[in-house]
Amino acid sequence: MTKNATSNLINCMGRLPAPANYYLGQVADCGDLPNNVLVFARSTFSTWEERHDSAHHRFMLVVALRGTGELCVNERLLRLNTGETVVLFPHQLHHYINTHEERHWLFLTFEQAAAEPLLPLRNRTVRLTPAAFATL
C-alpha cells in the first residue's frame, strides 16, 4: 500500500454514510459470493465498543488502513496493524481495545452461505496484498 493510495482510500471512507441499519446491506444473490454487503468506516470508537462484547450473525472483514489496535475475539487478543485485515465469523464475541487511539478502519459486513472457504482466515490477521488493496 502506498501512502498516497491509503490517503485516497481514507478520504473516500470519510464520505461513507453511517448505516441506517447495520444488518441490511446490498443484496445481489450471486450464488456462493457474499451477499447483503454493508460497508462503513470508523476513525473513532465509543467506550461501549471497548467494554462490551458484540456478536451478530454476519461475517465482518475489518481492514486497518491506518492505525494499529487490538480486538478481543472470543477471548483471544488479535493485534491489527496498518495494512492488515481480519475476518470475524458470525456469532464470534468481539470488542475493541484502546479505543481512544486514532484509527482509520474499514468494515465490510456480509452474509455467506458457505463458510468453508473462509475457515483458513479464522482468528488470525492477514497482511493485505497489493491486489487486495487495489480491490478495496
Side-chain angles (χ1 to χ4, degrees), residues 75-130:
E75 298 184 12
R76 173 183 283 180
L77 189 63
L78 297 175
R79 183 173 181 80
L80 193 60
N81 296 303
T82 297
E84 292 181 340
T85 187
V86 64
V87 176
L88 303 180
F89 278 62
H91 308 291
Q92 279 192 299
L93 293 174
H94 58 278
H95 65 270
Y96 307 93
I97 309 291
N98 299 326
T99 56
H100 60 280
E101 296 174 7
E102 185 178 354
R103 302 174 189 169
H104 294 280
W105 287 9
L106 187 63
F107 294 80
L108 296 91
T109 68
F110 58 94
E111 296 171 359
Q112 182 165 325
E116 292 79 18
L118 298 175
L119 286 175
L121 302 173
R122 189 178 185 120
N123 297 325
R124 61 185 286 248
T125 59
V126 177
R127 173 134 313 274
L128 283 173
T129 64

Side-chain angles (χ1 to χ4, degrees), residues 47-59:
T47 55
W48 185 91
E49 290 170 312
E50 181 171 15
R51 295 188 181 134
H52 293 88
D53 282 327
S54 180
H56 40 76
H57 71 282
R58 299 172 62 77
F59 285 92

Side-chain angles (χ1 to χ4, degrees), residues 1-8 66:
M1 296 187 321
T2 68
K3 198 176 244 188
N4 192 32
T6 301
S7 294
N8 288 340
R66 187 176 295 149

Side-chain angles (χ1 to χ4, degrees), residues 7-81:
S7 294
N8 288 340
L9 192 51
I10 289 171
N11 287 336
C12 290
M13 280 176 36
R15 294 191 302 268
L16 285 173
N21 181 336
Y22 282 86
Y23 300 101
L24 183 60
Q26 294 297 313
V27 177
D29 195 20
C30 295
D32 290 338
L33 294 176
N35 199 12
N36 195 11
V37 177
L38 180 67
V39 179
F40 59 96
R42 291 275 184 272
S43 58
T44 60
F45 292 76
S46 70
T47 55
W48 185 91
E49 290 170 312
E50 181 171 15
R51 295 188 181 134
H52 293 88
D53 282 327
S54 180
H56 40 76
H57 71 282
R58 299 172 62 77
F59 285 92
M60 183 163 61
L61 178 72
V62 183
V63 182
L65 295 174
R66 187 176 295 149
T68 297
E70 293 82 25
L71 299 91
C72 186
V73 180
N74 285 352
E75 298 184 12
R76 173 183 283 180
L77 189 63
L78 297 175
R79 183 173 181 80
L80 193 60
N81 296 303

